[in-house]
Amino acid sequence: MDQDFLDILQQHTAGNPMNSSIRWTYLKPREIVSDLLKKGYSVSRNIVRYLLKKHEYVKRKAQKNITMGGHPDCNAQFENITQLKQDYLDAGNPVISMDTKKKELLGTFYRNGSLYTQAAIQTNDHDFPSSATGSVIPHGFYDLKRNTGYITLGTSHDTSEFACDSLFQWWVNEGIIHYPKAKSLLILCDGGGSNSSRHYIFKEDLQKTANALGLEIRIAHYPPYTSKYNPIEHRFFPHVTRACEGVVFDSVETVKTLISRTSTSKGLTTIVHIPDKIYETGRKYAADFKEIMPIVFDTHLLKWNYRAIPQE
């Protein structure tokens, strides 16, 4: 039966052209059962699952690990980030990972996940934005030392002003309480989006934030195509997603309640803030900002590493 089983799979098997040891079948267990029955075997799906496991066919999801691009300074920046993190932690200064999750529509829309319910939850059969009652943009911070998360739920646009206002609120509500003697704050973030490494509007808003807080803010961007290594992506956001699985986002208050429950057995906790502000898109930095900006760029990998030093 083993050989007949393998013969059936051989006719319906594909492989990875880059790695001959990785092969997969697109047959379902019930289809394999049907083919084995035609060959005279009396088998069940459990027997087929046993044979699949025996021959190392295990059900897996594809993993998004193939980098689509690279940069010659990628490794150097990772080494730089590692050193910066250690220096800041040793000095008792905060190290924060920052990013924005995907915008979610508010309304009776289907969301992945299942719940224990007494009846099926009914949702719209299409996710048309025109049917939404609004949207919510979760902008997150993850404190590497304290293993805590902070989410700002924006209800307008994901702009650099929104990102910097969220940082301001994190510091006022959390940071200054736990790091009262901090001299500088290290932010680890991607190189695109509202905190783009290429946009001067982010640097201008960052400088305003540093001035308002009276605190030096150091930025270290992850190189292109490496955002998955940003700690918030694997230490915080997956738990936020799990806390919200299957629940309809009918209001921003519902989203706040769900995300506030994000926790783990290792002590992760989450605080959620909803700002009462509308953010405009298309803002431009001041005409003379590039010439007079006080942003201090590092001498090494300067496009990804710089500091906003508070001005008098």
Side-chain angles (χ1 to χ4, degrees):
M1 184 169 66
D2 260 22
Q3 188 56 53
D4 284 336
F5 168 79
L6 292 173
D7 288 344
I8 291 170
L9 259 62
Q10 181 65 34
Q11 301 172 35
H12 302 278
T13 296
N16 186 339
M18 305 300 293
N19 188 343
S20 60
S21 66
I22 301 177
R23 303 185 65 76
W24 63 86
T25 181
Y26 46 83
L27 287 177
K28 306 296 183 186
R30 59 178 174 78
E31 295 172 318
I32 300 174
V33 167
S34 177
D35 286 345
L36 284 173
L37 288 174
K38 292 175 184 178
K39 291 181 177 289
Y41 298 102
S42 179
V43 296
S44 65
R45 294 187 191 181
N46 286 339
I47 294 297
V48 167
R49 292 190 182 98
Y50 165 77
L51 291 171
L52 286 166
K53 185 175 181 180
K54 176 182 176 182
H55 294 284
E56 299 182 344
Y57 283 86
V58 180
K59 196 170 186 179
R60 300 181 175 93
K61 288 184 178 180
Q63 298 180 357
K64 296 197 293 184
N65 288 331
I66 300 176
T67 301
M68 295 181 64
H71 194 283
D73 294 325
C74 181
N75 189 61
Q77 178 63 354
F78 270 88
E79 292 177 352
N80 183 55
I81 288 175
T82 298
Q83 187 61 54
L84 284 172
K85 285 195 298 185
Q86 194 59 54
D87 290 346
Y88 269 68
L89 292 172
D90 289 346
N93 288 322
V95 180
I96 305 300
S97 176
M98 176 175 81
D99 198 11
T100 306
K101 281 179 65 67
K102 179 177 70 72
K103 180 172 71 174
E104 299 276 2
L105 295 176
L106 298 177
T108 315
F109 299 112
Y110 173 82
R111 301 190 68 258
N112 285 328
S114 57
L115 301 168
Y116 286 102
T117 67
Q118 293 184 320
I121 298 173
Q122 303 298 319
T123 62
N124 299 342
D125 58 354
H126 287 83
D127 295 343
F128 295 132
S130 58
S131 301
T133 58
S135 62
V136 62
I137 304 165
H139 188 282
F141 297 91
Y142 175 72
D143 186 329
L144 273 67
K145 180 179 181 180
R146 298 180 54 249
N147 188 32
T148 58
Y150 188 95
I151 293 277
T152 300
L153 296 177
T155 55
S156 59
H157 302 287
D158 183 20
T159 66
S160 64
E161 186 181 16
F162 168 59
C164 290
D165 280 356
S166 299
L167 173 58
F168 181 91
Q169 290 299 325
W170 172 82
W171 178 255
V172 170
N173 295 325
E174 283 286 295
I176 197 170
I177 297 172
H178 300 286
Y179 301 97
K181 298 181 180 179
K183 302 299 183 183
S184 183
L185 165 65
L186 174 61
I187 302 283
L188 309 177
C189 57
D190 302 344
S194 58
N195 50 248
S196 174
S197 61
R198 302 182 303 276
H199 294 168
Y200 284 97
I201 186 65
F202 172 63
K203 294 177 176 65
E204 184 179 44
D205 288 337
L206 185 72
Q207 184 63 56
K208 292 178 182 177
T209 304
N211 293 345
L213 296 176
L215 177 72
E216 177 185 276
I217 303 174
R218 172 180 276 280
I219 298 292
H221 291 283
Y222 280 89
Y225 305 104
T226 63
S227 60
K228 65 183 178 182
Y229 295 105
N230 195 353
I232 196 172
E233 293 288 351
H234 48 87
R235 295 189 190 178
F236 182 42
F237 279 169
H239 303 299
V240 173
T241 300
R242 174 177 50 80
C244 299
E245 282 182 338
V247 182
V248 174
F249 283 177
D250 55 5
S251 71
V252 67
E253 289 296 336
T254 296
V255 181
K256 178 181 180 180
T257 300
L258 291 168
I259 294 181
S260 296
R261 295 170 49 235
T262 302
S263 61
T264 67
S265 59
K266 293 186 178 180
L268 174 68
T269 57
T270 305
I271 293 176
V272 183
H273 170 72
I274 303 175
D276 184 19
K277 185 174 180 179
I278 302 299
Y279 295 94
E280 63 174 296
T281 58
R283 288 174 56 242
K284 305 294 184 183
Y285 58 86
D288 59 347
F289 178 72
K290 288 178 67 175
E291 289 71 31
I292 66 171
M293 67 175 175
I295 295 290
V296 178
F297 291 89
D298 288 9
T299 56
H300 179 58
L301 301 173
L302 57 88
K303 61 187 172 183
W304 294 330
N305 303 282
Y306 47 88
R307 292 174 293 148
I309 301 174
Q311 304 296 297
E312 292 291 339

